[in-house]
Amino acid sequence: MRLNTIVPGGLSLILSICALLVSVPTYAEPETAPSASKIEIWPKVRTSLFGTREIHEDSSAIVQLEAPTRAEDASTVPIAMHTQLVQTAGRYIDKLYLVVDNNPSPIAAVFDFTPESGRADIETRIRVEQYTDVRAIAELNDGSLYMATRFVKASGGCSAPAGKDAEAAARNLGRIKFRVDGPITIGKPALAQLAVSHPNASGLVLDQISRLYAPAYYVRKIDVSYAGKPVLTADIDFSISENPNFRFYFLPTADGELRAEIIDTKDLKFESEVLVKSGSVSGGGN
Amino acid sequence: MRARQRNAVAMFRSAIGALALITVASRSLAATDAPKKLGIHAVAAGVYVHLGAQADTSLENHGDIANIGFIIGKRCIAVIDSGGTLQIGQQLLAAIRSVSPLPICFVINTHVHPDHVFGNAAFVGSDTEFVGHSHLPAAFAARRENYLNALTRVLGDAAGGSVIVPPTILIKDTLELDLGERKLVLTAWRTSHTDGDLTVFDTASQTLWTGDLLFVERTPVIDGSVRGWLTTLDELRKQRPAHVVPGHGPVDPPWPHAIDAEAHYLNILISDVTSAQKNGRTLSQTVEIAGLSERSQWLLFDNYNRRNVTACYTELEWED
């Protein structure tokens, strides 16, 4: 989904970005940003996603974006999109777009919400290329757009890294951690956390022998439903960190099952559910 | 560090840099083209080490920030880690040649990190084989481009010629290398500091080279598994070497106190992160608060602790 024509130069731009790294001993980086890319990414992404529609930048009444000024680990940058609306049938946030301008794939994620989501908040971790604007754009059900922006400096090198333990990652592929913070109050948004063990890799590793690039291998879609109704859909790619991890809300209206389905680029499907009862929860792994 | 402090450091560094330039210029009339020699000292008979700077790679140190060295047998020499750039590797080679003409039969890399491996190219030759953990080739493949870009970005021309030279002799458990009446025992460890850590034990002098399984005075870096590293340290501390060469910091630190100090930091991180997670703290909240009680114990703490907290948090959150 993300390797689309928005980014000029397409594949060649992606291939020019360094691929995989975990943490490197830090270098004494100069404080000023390296010479900026000549390609202005945001205008192209903006046009592709929203055409000429107005985007309100005075957005704090709708959505706020938390991100560190300096990323401690460019491969695992915690970000939070906090929304100020309680989702109701008449007025709700329909989508949140997460854009990381200078990433190989700038549209890191698109999250779909419903009134049953309770709140359209999302916390996750992303990979950050050096020195970039990170943007959270909320689209309401009436089509209006609100954007919050933060500038993030990645420290110590590129993003889209390899994991710390290649063998353990292979063993644990598809393992899910899924839980809901109790106690549950019917009618009050409840906080859930979903994580899946997955390399979520860009795949841009050149095999020295074959001189071929392995294909990208990442989680592309997550569907969460409660009592059979969607509460969160996420379209993501390798701009999300290894072991994609999300905190989000849902609105429990009666006892029911919170269900997650995760699909990756090999069309492998991973599933989990949590049973939710007023007062308590149970279940949560796979 | 506050912005003002960072600016002050930057100005100070460039002032030092300017002074260094002036010093070099005034000597250049008598200088030869030979690479500078690294300062080396003997840990034991035939066992030599160069101590890297306790700093991040910069134009001041050209990547000379890790402990590197060599062991001389009757027949040939083994190098243990080669430094952060081709330049440092060449300087190490010059230092070796100042004490022995024997061929270099092995270059052993204790793990993947750039400050230990980018001098390898200085040793490529028909006599020399490169040795590493069985996981090292994959680690090099995954990180190579990224390391090269970072090196060039910080060092510019000083990084010239620095390339990855992967091992052809791979260690899965243990292996003995013979330098000619001198046996080295190499041990491959579970995922600890990285997923490809090797230690080297010189039986003649009972010297243990720990690689970055042991950091002395400098903040340890978790780039593997904090749990695995603690298990490994439990085993290492049972050994009674006559000499210890850590990956960073002074040779022959108090033993096993040096291991215990490092394990203490890792345990503090686990304890602080676990309790933060129990209290529902997010990753971004936890990086602000975990590990801080150790701050006065370690050099470069502010450069590395938050990253260590991130590594710990993302490892421990999968535990039930």
Side-chain angles (χ1 to χ4, degrees):
Chain A
M1 175 201 122
R2 308 300 159 197
L3 298 179
N4 57 22
T5 55
I6 285 173
V7 178
L11 189 61
S12 63
L13 177 64
I14 291 164
L15 289 180
S16 73
I17 305 286
C18 33
L20 305 184
L21 165 72
V22 186
S23 26
V24 172
T26 58
Y27 296 87
E29 297 274 5
E31 268 307 305
T32 53
S35 52
S37 161
K38 295 187 177 54
I39 305 165
E40 275 281 316
I41 301 293
W42 169 242
K44 297 179 195 300
V45 171
R46 187 238 200 275
T47 305
S48 154
L49 289 174
F50 309 116
T52 54
R53 290 157 65 190
E54 182 184 9
I55 302 179
H56 302 279
E57 300 208 15
D58 177 21
S59 62
S60 55
I62 302 292
V63 59
Q64 292 168 5
L65 175 63
E66 281 174 17
T69 311
R70 174 175 291 283
E72 298 306 325
D73 178 348
S75 70
T76 308
V77 180
I79 65 116
M81 299 186 280
H82 291 304
T83 57
Q84 311 305 308
L85 284 188
V86 176
Q87 306 277 83
T88 62
R91 190 161 190 250
Y92 61 94
I93 291 172
D94 184 45
K95 284 181 165 42
L96 278 178
Y97 297 82
L98 179 59
V99 175
V100 186
D101 287 12
N102 293 336
N103 270 14
S105 179
I107 305 174
V110 182
F111 301 97
D112 284 77
F113 302 92
T114 64
E116 287 76 34
S117 304
R119 302 186 70 100
D121 284 24
I122 290 279
E123 284 189 53
T124 187
R125 297 122 190 218
I126 57 175
R127 296 183 167 119
V128 174
E129 205 68 28
Q130 51 187 325
Y131 301 91
T132 185
D133 280 316
V134 178
R135 305 170 192 272
I137 304 127
E139 182 174 13
L140 270 59
N141 61 319
D142 65 7
S144 55
L145 297 166
Y146 296 83
M147 180 167 77
T149 307
R150 291 290 295 261
F151 189 69
V152 176
K153 297 179 191 177
S155 90
C158 287
S159 58
K164 293 174 167 59
D165 189 335
E167 276 188 8
R171 272 201 311 276
N172 291 324
L173 180 76
R175 188 173 152 212
I176 292 179
K177 198 179 58 144
F178 194 19
R179 64 154 210 270
V180 176
D181 287 358
I184 301 292
T185 306
I186 298 294
K188 185 163 175 257
L191 183 61
Q193 184 165 0
L194 173 66
V196 59
S197 182
H198 200 286
N200 219 50
S202 64
L204 296 174
V205 181
L206 179 64
D207 183 301
Q208 299 293 317
I209 313 296
S210 70
R211 308 304 291 177
L212 295 173
Y213 286 88
Y217 184 39
Y218 56 91
V219 171
R220 60 181 178 82
K221 192 137 183 292
I222 297 172
D223 285 290
V224 183
S225 61
Y226 182 66
K229 293 170 125 185
V231 294
L232 174 69
T233 303
D235 280 296
I236 69 171
D237 73 0
F238 49 80
S239 280
I240 301 294
S241 301
E242 180 193 24
N243 303 338
N245 187 313
F246 303 94
R247 283 160 77 106
F248 58 93
Y249 286 92
F250 70 101
L251 191 64
T253 47
D255 293 355
E257 184 186 80
L258 187 69
R259 186 173 173 75
E261 286 183 4
I262 296 158
I263 306 174
D264 71 16
T265 48
K266 289 184 183 170
D267 285 333
L268 289 179
K269 197 188 274 194
F270 312 106
E271 295 165 339
S272 182
E273 55 277 323
V274 176
L275 291 170
V276 179
K277 290 163 100 77
S278 156
S280 70
V281 287
S282 63
N286 70 339
Chain B
M1 250 199 259
R2 300 257 162 75
R4 224 170 322 162
Q5 282 172 303
R6 278 197 287 251
N7 287 339
V9 170
M11 283 194 313
F12 185 64
R13 280 190 182 143
S14 55
I16 293 291
L19 270 174
L21 275 175
I22 291 164
T23 316
V24 167
S26 65
R27 283 210 214 120
S28 66
L29 291 168
T32 68
D33 288 336
K36 252 175 35 200
K37 264 176 19 188
L38 284 184
I40 55 171
H41 72 273
V43 175
V47 178
Y48 292 86
V49 80
H50 166 76
L51 296 178
Q54 299 280 49
D56 287 328
T57 293
S58 71
L59 289 170
E60 277 75 50
N61 55 50
H62 284 196
D64 176 21
I65 66 168
N67 293 344
I68 59 181
F70 55 100
I71 300 179
I72 304 175
K74 279 264 169 359
R75 180 174 60 87
C76 66
I77 295 170
V79 168
I80 301 171
D81 286 337
S82 59
T85 54
L86 170 67
Q87 246 186 34
I88 303 299
Q90 288 170 333
Q91 289 171 19
L92 178 61
L93 180 56
I96 294 172
R97 287 294 165 244
S98 72
V99 295
S100 169
L102 288 176
I104 292 163
C105 43
F106 302 112
V107 172
I108 303 162
N109 289 135
T110 60
H111 64 293
V112 69
H113 282 154
D115 47 331
H116 297 255
V117 304
F118 267 124
N120 280 7
F123 298 96
V124 170
S126 54
D127 292 327
T128 310
E129 292 177 279
F130 291 81
V131 185
H133 193 294
S134 61
H135 293 162
L136 195 54
F140 275 148
R143 298 165 184 231
R144 182 181 155 273
E145 210 177 312
N146 195 294
Y147 281 176
L148 284 169
N149 288 344
L151 200 69
T152 315
R153 191 176 66 237
V154 176
L155 295 181
D157 289 339
S162 303
V163 295
I164 294 289
V165 183
T168 50
I169 298 177
L170 304 180
I171 318 291
K172 269 184 119 75
D173 296 300
T174 71
L175 185 71
E176 234 176 48
L177 298 179
D178 189 355
L179 305 183
E181 294 176 36
R182 185 162 210 155
K183 290 205 186 344
L184 305 182
V185 180
L186 277 59
T187 304
W189 294 89
R190 64 181 63 76
T191 300
S192 305
H193 166 63
T194 67
D195 71 352
D197 296 319
L198 269 192
T199 55
V200 182
F201 184 71
D202 171 46
T203 47
S205 66
Q206 303 276 297
T207 301
L208 176 66
W209 295 67
T210 61
D212 279 8
L213 288 176
L214 181 60
F215 283 70
V216 179
E217 294 173 3
R218 181 193 175 119
T219 309
V221 172
I222 304 170
D223 193 15
S225 161
V226 67
R227 293 279 192 208
W229 199 350
L230 280 166
T231 306
T232 297
L233 290 178
D234 265 345
E235 292 174 25
L236 276 179
R237 81 185 298 288
K238 293 180 185 145
Q239 298 186 25
R240 288 288 174 268
H243 298 284
V244 174
V245 180
H248 297 268
V251 162
D252 291 344
W255 181 276
H257 170 80
I259 295 272
D260 292 341
E262 185 179 64
H264 181 72
Y265 172 59
L266 299 180
N267 276 313
I268 291 283
L269 283 177
I270 288 178
S271 150
D272 285 0
V273 167
T274 304
S275 94
Q277 287 176 339
K278 283 204 170 76
N279 290 328
R281 301 249 186 271
T282 62
L283 173 57
S284 43
Q285 289 168 330
T286 306
V287 292
E288 301 292 331
I289 56 179
L292 296 181
S293 61
E294 286 282 294
R295 188 160 182 268
S296 61
Q297 305 301 310
W298 302 99
L299 298 171
L300 305 175
F301 189 83
D302 291 341
N303 291 12
Y304 290 100
N305 181 63
R306 292 157 70 102
R307 189 186 316 214
N308 285 338
V309 173
T310 300
C312 233
Y313 191 105
T314 54
E315 179 178 341
L316 297 183
E317 69 185 344
W318 286 95
E319 295 177 359
D320 295 313

